[in-house]
């Protein structure tokens, strides 16, 4: 059995069909390359074959990408020289794709057979790099299809010819969104961008390709013709020069130099543009090897691709029957309730949205209408999809409408009494199997569950704001939460197409527990006289989307002060953050509540646009004459979060390091290049991490004290992904 089969037709057209056995979407594996090459050799060597069509046996897609085991196998193929193994493997792939591209032509571009590629739908990664090597790409008019090269999103870049070919096809400037941002397009947009040649109805796909193959077309790629000039100009051309200067500045501005793949991609493009095509492919392979040998790429692939997908597929789902949600009740139509309503209705569920007053409930529903209106303007929704979504939402004050709900998500005020009253009232109106979830961000789930007579059916489903944008949902098990409630929450998260992590109940659960020390460490440094710009820039250069001071301005200073007061009241003498409170309470007292009051650590203009840091800060906390080293600031910010993650694991709040890593990146943008807190500790090595914590604890206090688990692992030289290997293996 093979994934590729060929039928030779009487009219001289050979159709190669790709149909990965046992998968719903084609995925390239090592044998696939061998089998495809053998069929291409056969077709090119058979005089009866005039041309070839490469297509997919799957409905609605061409291919989703590559089995990442190929990379592991390449690394192993040259014994103890993994880079050599990679380089050899990549060059073999280039030779195969080049064979398709040359179509059997001789050195003078004579002879040869046309090879067309038909995309019934989605074509991603290698699933688009192969079509790029063909002579003409026909895409089915399938608006759901996604076409492009998303590799950069998981810390690599298109390294099987996609980078070199796309830049040669459209020029560096035009190719940059597709390469540097992993932009995906539907077929029509792909055609107008020049990624595909033709868009035709799906049932005419093969006929259109066949007619083209039999029309005797020219198949020489522009870069194989004499006098080829790169669109937009090569680097030594004045226009091209400007492109590369601009691109380099843009990449560094966006990534702050923290993402190795983006830099390597740019180098491959620049250096490749200076040389002939085949040498450019070799350069691309070298840079790709460089990226694949970087531990950051392996960590990013593991977290953002393998483990994220495993969690989405229910890696930690209890073994209970399907719990998909049909009708959900959302309590509270404020910021969170409105967002939860939107994503649930868009996923096809019926939603009952309840608030105290009808106007409030209606306002919550209008959030969906506004969102859909924006979608219509951008061509992502239609008046029909808008009406369908709105028709699913009942906005009311009447609890009896909750009848028939199989899940309730409560998002009322963050007040235990209000939440308890709502819980009790809801339970009078729903059936005995209904699962009750709270979206609290700070209150213990086990305490809130006391308002229910069925605590095994009570759970936390913690969304992040804005709900429709944030991809992570944190599911929290209370002490008595049962497996059906966990499965229900996981199935719901899958329906709304987000990524779940499942954690146990503890103060601030997992995500907020790690974010708060990050913000606090930033504010502590302000009190010590560290320049605010040094603090925020140090974070951005680590790859965080926003520095801690900017983050607290965004989430609001009064919210921070409220959380600080509540935590202090709950912890009593154990409360560790008095130095931080001094700053945050003072800011609150000054009325500087963050962006919403147009005054926080930053100044803002009338429109709320961030200006410079507020001068009053330096008056109150004068800058020390000697500022700390950048790495010291970065280590304080990193370890403040990472140690919380380790403690959460030690205490059993986290049960799976994959969730710790994936959750950190998706919830608060934890340095994605690192793969997450545990992957970062593995990259720097646990022995060094433990030693560094000792130094930080001595210099800055016991909050950096080395956790026992880290100490023990450091002594043994263990990494997290080997010690907790069962979980990591499960993911593969
Ligand atoms: P919000 O103030 O915007 O909305 C709360 C809504 O609940 C209001 O519309 C209010 O009228 C309604 N409400 C209050 N009492 C009610 C009752 N008895 N019956 C029905 N409706 C009632 O608050 P929010 O920001 O949407 O937060 C809601 C919950 O989500 C809180 O528990 C909060 O901690 C949590 N949360 C908030 C965020 C965030 O970023 N805002 C993030 C995660 C979780």
């Amino acid at each position: 059995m093979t994934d590729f089969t060929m039928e030779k037709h009487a009219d001289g057209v050979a159709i190669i069909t790709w149909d990965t056995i046992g998968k719903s979407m084609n995925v390239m594996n090592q044998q696939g390359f061998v089998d495809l090459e053998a069929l291409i050799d056969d077709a090119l060597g058979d005089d009866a074959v005039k041309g070839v069509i490469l297509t997919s046996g799957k409905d609605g897609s061409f291919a989703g990408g590559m089995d990442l085991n190929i990379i592991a196998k390449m690394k192993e193929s040259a014994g103890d020289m993994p880079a050599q193994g990679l380089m050899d493997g990549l060059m073999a792939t280039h030779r195969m794709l080049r064979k398709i591209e040359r179509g059997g032509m001789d050195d003078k571009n004579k002879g040869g057979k046309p090879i067309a590629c038909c995309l019934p739908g989605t074509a991603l990664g290698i699933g688009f790099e192969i079509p790029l090597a063909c002579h003409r790409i026909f895409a089915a008019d399938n608006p759901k299809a996604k076409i492009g090269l998303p590799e950069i999103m998981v810390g690599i870049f298109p390294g099987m010819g996609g980078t070199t070919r796309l830049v040669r096809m459209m020029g560096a400037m035009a190719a940059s969104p597709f390469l540097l941002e992993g932009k995906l397009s539907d077929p029509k947009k792909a055609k107008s961008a020049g990624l595909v040649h033709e868009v035709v109805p799906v049932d005419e796909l093969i006929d259109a390709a066949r007619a083209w193959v039999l029309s005797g077309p020219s198949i020489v790629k522009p870069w194989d013709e004499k006098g080829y000039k790169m669109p937009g100009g090569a680097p030594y051309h004045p226009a091209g020069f400007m492109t590369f200067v601009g691109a380099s500045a843009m990449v560094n501005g966006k990534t702050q130099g923290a993402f190795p793949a983006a830099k390597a991609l740019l180098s491959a493009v620049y250096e490749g543009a200076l040389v002939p095509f085949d040498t450019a492919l070799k350069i691309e392979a070298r840079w790709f090897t460089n990226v694949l040998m970087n531990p950051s790429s392996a960590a990013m692939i593991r977290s953002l691709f393998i483990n994220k997908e495993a969690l989405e597929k229910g890696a930690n789902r209890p073994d209970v029957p399907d719990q998909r949600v049909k009708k959900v009740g959302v309590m509270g139509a404020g910021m969170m309730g409105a967002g939860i309503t939107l994503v649930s209705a868009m996923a096809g569920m019926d939603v009952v949205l309840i608030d105290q007053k009808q106007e409030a409930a209606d306002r919550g529903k209008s959030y969906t209408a506004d969102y859909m209106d924006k979608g219509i303007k951008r061509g992502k929704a239609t008046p029909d999809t808008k009406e369908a979504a709105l028709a699913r939402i009942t906005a009311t004050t009447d609890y009896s409408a909750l009848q028939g709900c199989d899940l309730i998500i409560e998002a009322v005020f963050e007040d235990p009494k209000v939440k308890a009253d709502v819980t009790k009232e809801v339970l009078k109106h729903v059936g005995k199997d209904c699962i009750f979830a709270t979206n609290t961000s700070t209150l213990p789930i086990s305490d809130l569950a006391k308002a229910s007579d069925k605590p095994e059916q009570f759970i936390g489903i913690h969304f992040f704001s804005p709900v429709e944008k944030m991809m992570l949902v944190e599911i929290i098990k209370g002490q008595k939460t049962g497996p059906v409630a966990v499965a229900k929450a996981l199935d719901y998260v899958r329906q709304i197409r987000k990524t779940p992590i499942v954690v146990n109940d503890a103060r601030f659960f997992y995500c907020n527990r790690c974010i708060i020390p990050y913000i606090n460490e930033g504010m502590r440094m302000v009190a010590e006289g560290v320049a605010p710009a040094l603090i925020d820039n140090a974070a951005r250069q680590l790859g965080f989307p926003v520095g801690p001071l900017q983050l607290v301005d965004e989430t609001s200073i009064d919210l921070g002060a409220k959380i600080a007061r509540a935590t202090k009241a709950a912890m009593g003498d154990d409360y560790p953050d008095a130095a931080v409170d001094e700053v945050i309470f003072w800011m609150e007292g000054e009325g500087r509540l963050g962006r919403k009051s147009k005054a926080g650590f930053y100044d803002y203009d009338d429109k709320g646009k961030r200006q410079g840091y507020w001068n009053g800060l330096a008056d109150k906390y004068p800058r020390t004459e000697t500022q700390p080293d950048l790495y010291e600031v970065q280590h304080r910010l990193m370890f403040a979060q990472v140690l919380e993650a380790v403690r959460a694991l030690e205490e059993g709040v986290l049960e799976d390091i994959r969730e710790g890593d994936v959750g950190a990146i998706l919830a608060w943008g934890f340095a994605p290049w690192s793969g997450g807190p545990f992957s970062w500790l593995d990259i720097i090595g646990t022995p060094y991490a433990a030693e560094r914590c000792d130094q930080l604890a001595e210099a800055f206090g016991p909050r950096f004290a080395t956790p026992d688990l880290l100490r023990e692992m450091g002594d043994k030289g263990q990494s997290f992904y080997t010690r907790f290997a069962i979980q990591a293996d499960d993911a593969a």
Side-chain angles (χ1 to χ4, degrees):
M1 290 287 271
T2 148
D3 291 353
F4 287 89
T5 50
M6 181 161 68
E7 267 179 30
K8 292 177 184 171
H9 292 251
D11 60 0
V13 176
I15 300 185
I16 298 177
T17 304
W18 183 3
D19 199 345
T20 307
I21 298 158
K23 300 253 183 203
S24 59
M25 211 185 256
N26 289 327
V27 177
M28 182 55 87
N29 52 39
Q30 231 176 6
Q31 189 58 37
F33 279 126
V34 176
D35 293 346
L36 176 59
E37 181 162 19
L39 295 182
I40 293 288
D41 283 341
D42 178 347
L44 293 180
D46 183 342
D47 289 343
V49 173
K50 294 186 187 138
V52 179
I53 296 173
L54 174 59
T55 188
S56 152
K58 310 286 187 199
D59 272 350
S61 67
F62 180 69
M66 191 172 74
D67 177 349
L68 292 166
N69 279 326
I70 292 186
I71 291 171
K73 293 224 173 84
M74 282 180 183
K75 276 186 180 171
E76 288 160 10
S77 67
D80 57 359
M81 294 195 295
Q84 187 64 54
L86 280 170
M87 192 64 197
D88 294 346
L90 292 173
M91 287 313 293
T93 312
H94 279 321
R95 271 191 295 277
M96 196 275 277
L97 292 174
R98 196 69 176 121
K99 193 182 278 182
I100 293 179
E101 187 159 60
R102 295 294 299 155
M105 284 182 287
D106 64 17
D107 291 350
K108 299 199 168 60
N109 290 337
K110 294 279 180 284
K113 298 175 183 180
I115 303 181
C117 192
C118 289
L119 313 179
T122 291
L124 300 174
I126 186 72
F128 188 54
E129 290 182 297
I130 294 172
L132 284 175
C134 297
H135 304 118
R136 198 152 187 91
I137 305 173
F138 294 81
D141 185 7
N142 170 357
K144 286 197 181 142
K146 290 193 160 64
I147 296 173
L149 300 165
E151 285 88 340
I152 200 82
M153 311 299 284
V154 291
I156 53 177
F157 70 84
M160 298 206 168
T163 296
T164 302
R165 286 197 172 85
L166 206 64
V167 169
R168 291 265 198 301
M169 272 167 71
M170 54 175 60
M173 181 80 101
S176 67
F178 303 105
L179 296 174
L180 278 168
E181 294 164 24
K183 181 178 167 188
L184 305 180
S185 311
D186 64 29
K188 285 199 171 129
K189 291 210 180 96
K191 180 166 184 229
S192 51
L195 295 174
V196 305
H197 301 100
E198 313 261 1
V199 178
V200 296
V202 65
D203 48 2
E204 294 169 21
L205 201 54
I206 298 290
D207 287 348
R210 171 177 261 128
W212 178 82
V213 163
L214 294 174
S215 70
S218 162
I219 59 169
V220 190
K221 289 282 175 81
W223 43 90
D224 284 329
E225 305 252 35
K226 255 206 163 119
Y228 164 75
K229 288 215 166 34
M230 187 182 283
Y236 42 78
H237 182 277
F241 175 76
M242 287 317 291
T243 303
F244 282 92
V245 171
S248 177
M250 187 193 85
V251 167
N252 277 304
K254 277 198 173 171
T255 67
Q256 299 282 325
F259 291 82
K263 263 189 186 171
L265 166 68
L266 211 54
S267 300
V269 171
Y270 178 83
E271 293 166 20
L274 298 167
V275 293
F277 188 77
D278 286 300
T279 315
L281 288 179
K282 206 167 182 180
I283 289 172
E284 184 194 289
R286 283 221 180 105
W287 278 113
F288 196 42
T289 299
N290 175 294
V291 163
L292 293 173
M293 290 301 295
N294 189 317
S296 156
S297 305
M300 268 182 99
I301 290 173
R302 186 177 57 205
S303 289
L304 289 174
F305 193 78
I306 300 171
N307 291 344
K308 178 172 168 290
E309 197 175 288
L311 297 177
E312 284 162 3
K313 285 190 174 157
N316 293 326
R317 186 187 184 280
D319 188 13
V320 296
D322 188 355
Q323 293 294 320
R324 257 173 296 179
V325 176
K326 293 189 188 67
K327 182 173 175 186
V328 58
V330 179
M331 308 306 298
M335 187 164 94
M336 299 305 285
I340 296 166
T341 298
L342 165 67
V343 297
S344 303
M346 286 205 337
M349 283 168 245
D350 288 330
V351 187
V352 178
L353 174 61
I354 292 194
D355 208 299
Q356 291 161 301
K357 296 228 167 75
Q358 186 62 40
E359 303 89 87
D362 289 341
R363 221 177 11 254
K365 180 171 173 175
S366 69
Y367 190 75
T368 296
D370 294 347
Y371 181 86
M372 299 301 277
D373 283 340
K374 279 184 214 142
I376 293 171
K377 269 195 200 139
R378 284 185 289 141
K380 299 213 162 164
T382 63
D384 288 348
T385 53
K386 175 185 165 187
E387 282 319 307
L390 290 175
R392 287 186 205 110
I393 304 171
T394 307
T396 180
T397 57
D398 178 7
Y399 276 57
S400 67
L402 292 173
Q403 227 180 17
C405 283
D406 48 333
L407 175 70
I408 299 291
I409 302 176
E410 169 274 301
V412 299
F413 295 141
E414 189 75 337
D415 177 323
K417 166 102 176 50
V418 176
K419 286 192 188 290
D421 290 347
V422 168
T423 307
K424 284 184 189 140
E425 192 57 33
V426 165
L427 292 179
K428 288 183 198 160
H429 293 86
V430 294
K432 63 176 177 33
D433 294 331
C434 181
I435 301 296
F436 192 102
T438 172
N439 180 45
T440 179
S441 33
T442 56
L443 303 169
I445 304 300
S446 307
D447 289 351
L448 294 178
K450 287 178 186 153
S452 167
D453 55 351
K454 293 195 238 18
E456 70 284 2
Q457 288 175 210
F458 196 99
I459 195 162
I461 300 186
H462 182 209
F463 287 87
F464 296 84
S465 174
V467 176
E468 62 280 12
K469 274 208 187 128
M470 300 296 287
M471 290 317 296
L472 191 85
V473 178
E474 188 176 24
I475 294 169
I476 305 114
K477 294 186 279 186
Q479 277 157 12
K480 296 189 179 162
T481 301
V484 176
V486 176
K488 187 97 194 168
L490 282 167
D491 291 356
Y492 168 73
V493 173
R494 195 168 180 177
Q495 282 173 277
I496 59 169
R497 293 168 174 236
K498 296 199 185 278
T499 309
I501 62 169
V502 182
V503 304
N504 285 304
D505 196 13
R507 180 175 302 286
F508 302 131
F509 321 131
Y510 170 64
C511 297
N512 284 344
R513 172 180 183 152
C514 298
I515 301 167
I516 292 169
Y518 170 62
I519 291 176
N520 283 356
E521 202 58 33
M523 290 195 289
R524 268 175 211 278
M525 288 192 239
V526 169
E528 290 168 20
V530 178
L534 176 55
I535 301 167
D536 276 349
N537 285 337
R540 277 196 289 265
Q541 285 180 20
L542 280 169
F544 285 87
V546 285
L549 304 179
Q550 190 184 337
L551 185 57
V552 72
D553 262 10
E554 298 291 337
T555 52
S556 95
I557 304 258
D558 49 330
L559 177 67
K562 192 176 156 206
I563 291 174
R565 278 190 201 98
T567 314
K568 197 170 178 172
M571 291 184 78
D573 290 346
D574 292 339
Y575 184 68
D577 290 323
V580 179
D581 290 356
E582 193 195 306
V583 181
I584 198 158
F585 292 154
W586 173 70
M587 292 285 287
E588 188 188 35
E590 295 288 309
R592 300 197 68 93
L593 305 184
R595 184 202 283 275
K596 68 177 183 187
S597 69
K598 300 199 181 84
F601 285 100
Y602 287 83
D603 285 325
Y604 296 82
D605 68 12
D606 289 346
K607 290 187 184 129
K609 189 161 184 275
R610 216 173 39 257
Q611 309 292 304
Y613 288 97
W614 174 44
N615 280 335
L617 211 52
D619 297 338
K620 170 83 175 168
Y621 299 109
R623 314 275 146 84
T624 52
E625 219 162 273
T626 318
Q627 288 289 305
D629 179 75
L630 174 71
Y631 290 111
E632 181 180 287
V633 175
Q634 290 185 324
H635 271 181
R636 286 179 67 176
L637 294 174
M638 274 305 241
F639 277 102
Q641 305 165 70
V642 162
L643 291 183
E644 275 312 315
V646 174
R647 287 181 202 118
L649 181 68
E650 252 180 345
E651 292 164 18
V653 173
L654 265 183
E655 294 178 353
D656 181 338
I657 55 170
R658 291 177 299 174
E659 294 180 309
D661 274 352
V662 173
I665 298 175
L666 297 189
W668 74 97
F670 182 95
W673 58 268
S674 71
F678 297 103
S679 292
W680 183 69
L681 287 168
D682 281 356
I683 288 174
I684 64 169
T686 53
Y688 171 70
E691 185 190 322
R692 189 72 184 112
C693 287
D694 290 342
Q695 294 162 358
L696 290 171
E698 195 176 321
F700 301 106
R703 64 187 180 283
F704 289 110
T706 312
D708 291 343
L709 175 66
L710 183 59
R711 169 87 61 215
E712 185 205 319
M713 291 178 64
D715 289 346
K716 291 182 182 159
Q718 268 177 343
S719 73
F720 281 89
Y721 276 87
T722 46
R723 177 159 174 152
F724 299 95
I726 306 163
Q727 299 162 352
D729 284 350
D730 281 351

